[in-house]
Amino acid sequence: MTKIKFIAFILFAAVISSCSSDNSDESQSENFFNFTYDGKVQNVKTWEAQKQGDFIEVMGTSEQGIAIDFKFNSFGNLYQALTNPTSVNSQIPWLQASENFTSNTFTFTLENLNNTDKTVRVKFSGKVYEDGYDYESKFVNVSGSFKIPYKEITPQVEGLGTFAKIDGKDWHGLSFDGTIENQTTKIIYAENDGEYTIGIAFPDYNAKAGTYNFTSNDSAYKISFQKYDATTHESITYDVSGTVTFTTLNAVLATGTFSLTATHPTTKAKIIISNGTFKESAAF
């Protein structure tokens, strides 16, 4: 399963907070954006940030013509990191952090999210690749840190995301990817920067809200579970059994709760997923 991140509900535009390190205001003087690209220090003079619910986007632009963009959540999970040239005639390539198990090759630490002062502080380091789905593609090392103000935007839909405890540990994800299998079953994939993917499956037509018990043999009204293997660079689909309740199910939105046991198909090792909730866009 290929992860395609289409983050259409939050885009940088004229409404975004934009700041400069030359600002003489005392509250702005503590802001900074440090950025090193391929061993070369970038002089970042402009940055932008906005927060929409739990979703945050930050972009810094250097005087050397390189922009770096982060999309992450308020729990510290990195959804996407990109670098790109600011000029169409530049020889600087478009690069991205790995789209599979991002945290395996990119360290992203949300050090502070101040909802009173509306500032966000982060430290980062890792690889950005020519092909985010290929660990063997050419890459550049980036690193840095920033503390900048953000602009708060009211979400079009409040509370989007999928949450659960995986073997007792909190897991927070969001759907950027979906598919329709065999022209009958719609699957919403919720992910973060870790190794797990949770799939929410239901009929593409005539889907009905309700509570359903499921196993791997069911094609719809179930929760699927995958774990990315960093050694083989493949996702392992686990056998599943559990219960899902769809409270809202239509062409626009899917909401509900779930719990399940995921079993490795070969080793039979089990992973317990409990206290699951989801509220995801079903429009794709």
Side-chain angles (χ1 to χ4, degrees), residues 3-56:
K3 187 191 324 184
I4 302 173
K5 297 193 174 179
F6 52 94
I7 306 174
F9 55 87
I10 180 167
L11 296 172
F12 279 124
V15 296
I16 295 176
S17 170
S18 180
C19 303
S20 167
S21 59
D22 292 332
N23 196 315
S24 60
D25 183 87
E26 183 177 351
S27 63
Q28 299 293 337
S29 64
E30 298 179 359
N31 300 326
F32 62 87
F33 202 123
N34 302 318
F35 174 32
T36 299
Y37 178 94
D38 198 21
K40 298 176 182 177
V41 175
Q42 303 295 302
N43 188 16
V44 178
K45 287 282 189 177
T46 15
W47 48 74
E48 305 170 313
Q50 68 180 30
K51 180 177 181 289
Q52 190 174 147
D54 287 327
F55 188 93
I56 304 164

Coordinates of all heavy atoms in Angstrom, one line a residue, residues 3-56:
K3 N 1.5 5.2 0.4 CA 0.9 6.4 1.1 C 1.0 7.6 0.2 O 2.1 8.0 -0.2 CB 1.7 6.5 2.4 CG 1.2 7.6 3.3 CD 2.1 8.0 4.4 CE 2.9 6.9 5.0 NZ 3.7 7.3 6.2
I4 N -0.1 8.2 -0.1 CA -0.1 9.4 -0.9 C -0.7 10.5 0.0 O -1.8 10.5 0.4 CB -0.9 9.3 -2.2 CG1 -0.4 8.1 -3.0 CG2 -0.9 10.6 -3.0 CD1 -1.2 7.8 -4.2
K5 N 0.1 11.5 0.3 CA -0.3 12.5 1.3 C -0.9 13.7 0.5 O -0.2 14.5 -0.1 CB 0.8 12.9 2.2 CG 1.3 11.8 3.0 CD 2.2 12.3 4.1 CE 2.6 11.1 5.1 NZ 3.5 11.5 6.1
F6 N -2.2 13.8 0.6 CA -2.8 15.0 -0.1 C -3.5 15.8 1.1 O -4.5 15.5 1.5 CB -3.9 14.5 -1.1 CG -4.9 13.5 -0.6 CD1 -6.1 14.0 0.0 CD2 -4.6 12.2 -0.6 CE1 -7.0 13.1 0.4 CE2 -5.5 11.3 -0.1 CZ -6.8 11.7 0.4
I7 N -2.7 16.8 1.5 CA -3.2 17.6 2.6 C -3.9 18.9 2.1 O -3.3 19.9 2.0 CB -2.0 17.9 3.6 CG1 -1.3 16.6 4.0 CG2 -2.5 18.7 4.8 CD1 -0.1 16.8 4.8
A8 N -5.1 18.7 1.6 CA -5.8 19.7 0.9 C -6.5 20.7 1.9 O -6.8 21.8 1.5 CB -6.8 19.1 0.0
F9 N -6.7 20.3 3.1 CA -7.5 21.1 4.0 C -6.7 22.2 4.7 O -7.3 23.0 5.5 CB -8.3 20.3 5.0 CG -7.4 19.3 5.8 CD1 -6.8 19.8 7.0 CD2 -7.2 18.0 5.4 CE1 -6.0 18.9 7.7 CE2 -6.4 17.2 6.1 CZ -5.8 17.6 7.3
I10 N -5.4 22.2 4.5 CA -4.6 23.3 5.1 C -3.5 23.6 4.2 O -2.6 22.8 3.8 CB -4.0 22.8 6.5 CG1 -3.2 23.9 7.1 CG2 -3.3 21.5 6.4 CD1 -2.9 23.6 8.6
L11 N -3.5 24.9 3.7 CA -2.5 25.3 2.7 C -2.0 26.7 3.1 O -2.7 27.5 3.7 CB -3.2 25.4 1.3 CG -3.7 24.1 0.7 CD1 -4.4 24.4 -0.6 CD2 -2.5 23.2 0.4
F12 N -0.7 27.0 2.8 CA -0.2 28.3 3.0 C -0.8 29.3 2.0 O -0.9 29.0 0.8 CB 1.3 28.3 2.9 CG 2.0 27.8 4.1 CD1 2.9 26.7 4.0 CD2 1.8 28.3 5.3 CE1 3.6 26.3 5.1 CE2 2.5 27.9 6.4 CZ 3.3 26.9 6.3
A13 N -1.3 30.4 2.6 CA -1.9 31.4 1.7 C -1.6 32.8 2.4 O -0.9 32.9 3.3 CB -3.4 31.1 1.6
A14 N -2.4 33.8 1.9 CA -2.1 35.1 2.4 C -2.5 35.3 3.9 O -2.0 36.2 4.6 CB -2.9 36.1 1.6
V15 N -3.3 34.4 4.4 CA -3.8 34.5 5.8 C -2.8 34.0 6.8 O -2.9 34.1 8.0 CB -5.1 33.8 6.0 CG1 -6.2 34.4 5.2 CG2 -5.0 32.3 5.7
I16 N -1.7 33.3 6.3 CA -0.8 32.7 7.2 C 0.1 33.7 8.0 O 0.5 34.7 7.4 CB 0.1 31.7 6.5 CG1 -0.8 30.6 5.9 CG2 1.2 31.1 7.3 CD1 -0.1 29.6 5.1
S17 N 0.4 33.4 9.2 CA 1.3 34.2 10.0 C 2.7 34.2 9.3 O 3.3 33.2 9.1 CB 1.4 33.7 11.4 OG 2.4 34.3 12.1
S18 N 3.2 35.4 9.1 CA 4.6 35.5 8.5 C 5.4 36.4 9.3 O 5.0 37.5 9.7 CB 4.4 36.0 7.0 OG 5.7 36.1 6.5
C19 N 6.6 36.0 9.6 CA 7.5 36.8 10.5 C 8.9 36.8 10.0 O 9.3 36.1 9.1 CB 7.6 36.1 11.9 SG 5.9 35.9 12.7
S20 N 9.7 37.8 10.5 CA 11.0 37.9 10.0 C 11.9 38.1 11.3 O 11.5 38.7 12.3 CB 11.2 39.2 9.2 OG 12.5 39.5 9.0
S21 N 13.1 37.5 11.2 CA 14.1 37.6 12.3 C 14.6 39.0 12.5 O 15.2 39.3 13.5 CB 15.2 36.7 12.1 OG 15.9 37.0 10.9
D22 N 14.3 39.9 11.5 CA 14.7 41.3 11.7 C 13.7 42.1 12.5 O 13.9 43.3 12.8 CB 14.8 42.0 10.3 CG 16.0 41.4 9.6 OD1 17.0 41.0 10.2 OD2 16.0 41.4 8.3
N23 N 12.5 41.5 12.9 CA 11.5 42.2 13.6 C 12.1 42.7 14.9 O 12.6 42.0 15.7 CB 10.3 41.3 13.8 CG 9.1 42.1 14.2 OD1 9.1 43.0 15.0 ND2 7.9 41.7 13.6
S24 N 11.9 44.0 15.2 CA 12.4 44.6 16.4 C 11.5 44.4 17.6 O 11.9 44.8 18.7 CB 12.7 46.1 16.2 OG 11.5 46.8 15.9
D25 N 10.3 43.9 17.4 CA 9.4 43.7 18.6 C 10.0 42.8 19.6 O 10.5 41.7 19.2 CB 8.0 43.2 18.0 CG 7.0 43.1 19.1 OD1 6.3 44.0 19.5 OD2 6.9 41.9 19.7
E26 N 9.9 43.1 20.8 CA 10.5 42.3 21.9 C 10.0 40.8 21.9 O 10.8 39.9 22.1 CB 10.3 42.9 23.2 CG 11.0 42.2 24.4 CD 10.9 42.9 25.7 OE1 10.4 44.0 25.7 OE2 11.3 42.3 26.7
S27 N 8.7 40.7 21.7 CA 8.1 39.3 21.7 C 8.6 38.5 20.5 O 8.7 37.2 20.5 CB 6.6 39.4 21.6 OG 6.2 40.0 20.4
Q28 N 9.0 39.2 19.4 CA 9.5 38.4 18.2 C 11.0 38.1 18.3 O 11.5 37.3 17.6 CB 9.2 39.3 16.9 CG 7.7 39.5 16.7 CD 7.0 38.3 16.3 OE1 7.5 37.3 15.9 NE2 5.7 38.3 16.6
S29 N 11.7 38.9 19.1 CA 13.2 38.7 19.2 C 13.6 37.4 19.7 O 14.7 37.0 19.4 CB 13.8 39.8 20.1 OG 13.3 39.6 21.4
E30 N 12.8 36.7 20.4 CA 13.1 35.3 20.8 C 12.8 34.3 19.8 O 13.2 33.1 20.0 CB 12.3 35.0 22.1 CG 12.6 35.9 23.3 CD 11.8 35.6 24.5 OE1 11.0 34.6 24.4 OE2 11.9 36.3 25.5
N31 N 12.2 34.6 18.7 CA 11.9 33.6 17.7 C 13.1 33.4 16.8 O 14.0 34.2 16.6 CB 10.8 34.2 16.8 CG 9.5 34.4 17.5 OD1 9.2 33.7 18.5 ND2 8.8 35.4 17.2
F32 N 13.3 32.2 16.3 CA 14.4 31.8 15.5 C 14.1 30.6 14.6 O 13.1 29.9 14.8 CB 15.6 31.4 16.4 CG 15.4 30.2 17.3 CD1 15.6 28.9 16.8 CD2 14.9 30.4 18.6 CE1 15.4 27.8 17.7 CE2 14.7 29.3 19.4 CZ 14.9 28.0 18.9
F33 N 14.9 30.4 13.5 CA 14.7 29.3 12.7 C 16.1 28.9 12.2 O 16.7 29.6 11.3 CB 13.8 29.6 11.5 CG 13.2 28.4 10.8 CD1 11.8 28.3 10.7 CD2 14.0 27.4 10.3 CE1 11.2 27.2 10.1 CE2 13.4 26.3 9.7 CZ 12.0 26.2 9.6
N34 N 16.7 27.9 12.7 CA 18.0 27.4 12.3 C 17.8 26.2 11.3 O 17.0 25.3 11.6 CB 18.8 26.9 13.6 CG 19.0 27.9 14.6 OD1 19.3 29.1 14.3 ND2 18.8 27.6 15.9
F35 N 18.6 26.2 10.3 CA 18.4 25.2 9.3 C 19.8 24.9 8.6 O 20.4 25.8 8.1 CB 17.4 25.7 8.3 CG 17.2 24.8 7.0 CD1 17.3 23.5 7.1 CD2 16.8 25.4 5.8 CE1 17.1 22.7 5.9 CE2 16.6 24.7 4.7 CZ 16.7 23.3 4.7
T36 N 20.2 23.6 8.6 CA 21.4 23.2 7.8 C 21.0 22.2 6.8 O 20.3 21.2 7.1 CB 22.4 22.6 8.8 OG1 22.8 23.5 9.8 CG2 23.6 22.1 8.0
Y37 N 21.5 22.4 5.5 CA 21.1 21.6 4.4 C 22.4 21.1 3.8 O 23.2 21.8 3.3 CB 20.3 22.5 3.4 CG 19.9 21.8 2.1 CD1 18.6 21.2 2.0 CD2 20.7 21.7 1.0 CE1 18.2 20.6 0.8 CE2 20.3 21.1 -0.2 CZ 19.1 20.5 -0.3 OH 18.7 19.9 -1.4
D38 N 22.5 19.8 3.8 CA 23.7 19.1 3.2 C 25.0 19.7 3.7 O 25.9 20.0 3.0 CB 23.6 19.3 1.6 CG 24.5 18.3 0.9 OD1 24.9 17.2 1.5 OD2 24.9 18.5 -0.3
G39 N 25.0 19.9 5.0 CA 26.2 20.4 5.7 C 26.4 21.9 5.6 O 27.4 22.5 6.2
K40 N 25.5 22.6 4.9 CA 25.6 24.1 4.7 C 24.6 24.8 5.5 O 23.4 24.5 5.4 CB 25.6 24.4 3.2 CG 26.6 23.8 2.4 CD 26.5 24.1 0.9 CE 27.5 23.3 0.1 NZ 27.3 23.6 -1.4
V41 N 25.0 25.8 6.3 CA 24.1 26.6 7.1 C 23.2 27.5 6.2 O 23.8 28.2 5.3 CB 24.8 27.4 8.2 CG1 23.8 28.3 8.9 CG2 25.5 26.5 9.1
Q42 N 21.9 27.5 6.4 CA 21.0 28.3 5.6 C 20.6 29.5 6.5 O 20.3 29.3 7.7 CB 19.8 27.5 5.2 CG 20.1 26.3 4.4 CD 20.7 26.6 3.0 OE1 20.1 27.3 2.2 NE2 21.9 26.0 2.8
N43 N 20.6 30.7 5.9 CA 20.2 31.9 6.6 C 18.7 32.1 6.4 O 18.2 32.6 5.4 CB 21.0 33.1 6.0 CG 20.7 34.3 6.9 OD1 20.2 34.2 8.0 ND2 21.1 35.5 6.3
V44 N 17.9 31.6 7.3 CA 16.4 31.7 7.2 C 16.0 33.0 7.8 O 16.1 33.3 9.0 CB 15.7 30.5 8.0 CG1 14.2 30.6 7.9 CG2 16.2 29.2 7.4
K45 N 15.4 33.8 6.9 CA 14.9 35.1 7.4 C 13.4 35.2 7.4 O 12.8 36.1 8.1 CB 15.4 36.2 6.4 CG 16.9 36.5 6.5 CD 17.2 37.4 7.7 CE 18.6 37.9 7.7 NZ 18.9 38.8 8.9
T46 N 12.7 34.3 6.7 CA 11.3 34.3 6.7 C 10.7 33.0 7.1 O 11.3 31.9 6.7 CB 10.7 34.7 5.3 OG1 11.7 34.6 4.4 CG2 10.0 35.9 5.3
W47 N 9.6 33.0 7.8 CA 8.9 31.7 8.2 C 7.5 31.9 8.3 O 7.0 33.1 8.5 CB 9.5 31.2 9.5 CG 9.6 32.2 10.6 CD1 8.6 32.7 11.4 CD2 10.8 32.8 11.1 NE1 9.1 33.6 12.3 CE2 10.5 33.7 12.1 CE3 12.2 32.6 10.8 CZ2 11.4 34.4 12.8 CZ3 13.1 33.4 11.4 CH2 12.7 34.2 12.5
E48 N 6.7 30.9 8.2 CA 5.3 30.9 8.2 C 4.8 29.7 9.0 O 5.4 28.6 9.0 CB 4.7 30.8 6.8 CG 5.2 31.9 5.9 CD 4.8 31.6 4.5 OE1 4.9 30.5 4.0 OE2 4.3 32.6 3.8
A49 N 3.7 29.9 9.7 CA 3.1 28.7 10.5 C 1.6 28.9 10.7 O 1.2 30.1 10.9 CB 3.8 28.6 11.9
Q50 N 0.9 27.8 10.7 CA -0.5 27.9 11.1 C -0.9 26.6 11.8 O -0.3 25.5 11.5 CB -1.4 28.2 10.0 CG -1.5 27.2 8.9 CD -2.5 27.7 7.8 OE1 -2.6 28.9 7.5 NE2 -3.1 26.8 7.1
K51 N -1.9 26.7 12.6 CA -2.4 25.5 13.4 C -3.9 25.4 13.1 O -4.6 26.4 13.3 CB -2.1 25.7 14.9 CG -2.6 24.5 15.7 CD -2.2 24.8 17.2 CE -2.6 23.6 18.1 NZ -4.1 23.6 18.3
Q52 N -4.4 24.3 12.7 CA -5.8 24.0 12.4 C -6.2 22.8 13.2 O -5.9 21.7 12.8 CB -6.0 23.8 10.9 CG -7.4 23.8 10.5 CD -7.6 23.8 9.0 OE1 -8.5 23.2 8.5 NE2 -6.7 24.4 8.3
G53 N -6.8 23.0 14.4 CA -7.1 21.9 15.2 C -5.8 21.3 15.8 O -4.9 22.0 16.3
D54 N -5.6 20.0 15.6 CA -4.3 19.3 16.0 C -3.3 19.4 14.9 O -2.2 18.9 15.1 CB -4.6 17.9 16.4 CG -5.3 17.8 17.8 OD1 -5.1 18.7 18.6 OD2 -6.1 16.9 18.0
F55 N -3.6 19.9 13.8 CA -2.8 19.9 12.6 C -2.0 21.2 12.5 O -2.6 22.3 12.6 CB -3.6 19.6 11.3 CG -2.8 19.4 10.1 CD1 -2.5 18.1 9.7 CD2 -2.3 20.5 9.3 CE1 -1.7 17.9 8.5 CE2 -1.5 20.3 8.2 CZ -1.3 19.0 7.8
I56 N -0.7 21.1 12.3 CA 0.2 22.2 12.2 C 1.1 22.2 11.0 O 1.6 21.1 10.6 CB 1.1 22.3 13.5 CG1 0.3 22.3 14.8 CG2 2.0 23.6 13.5 CD1 1.1 22.0 16.0

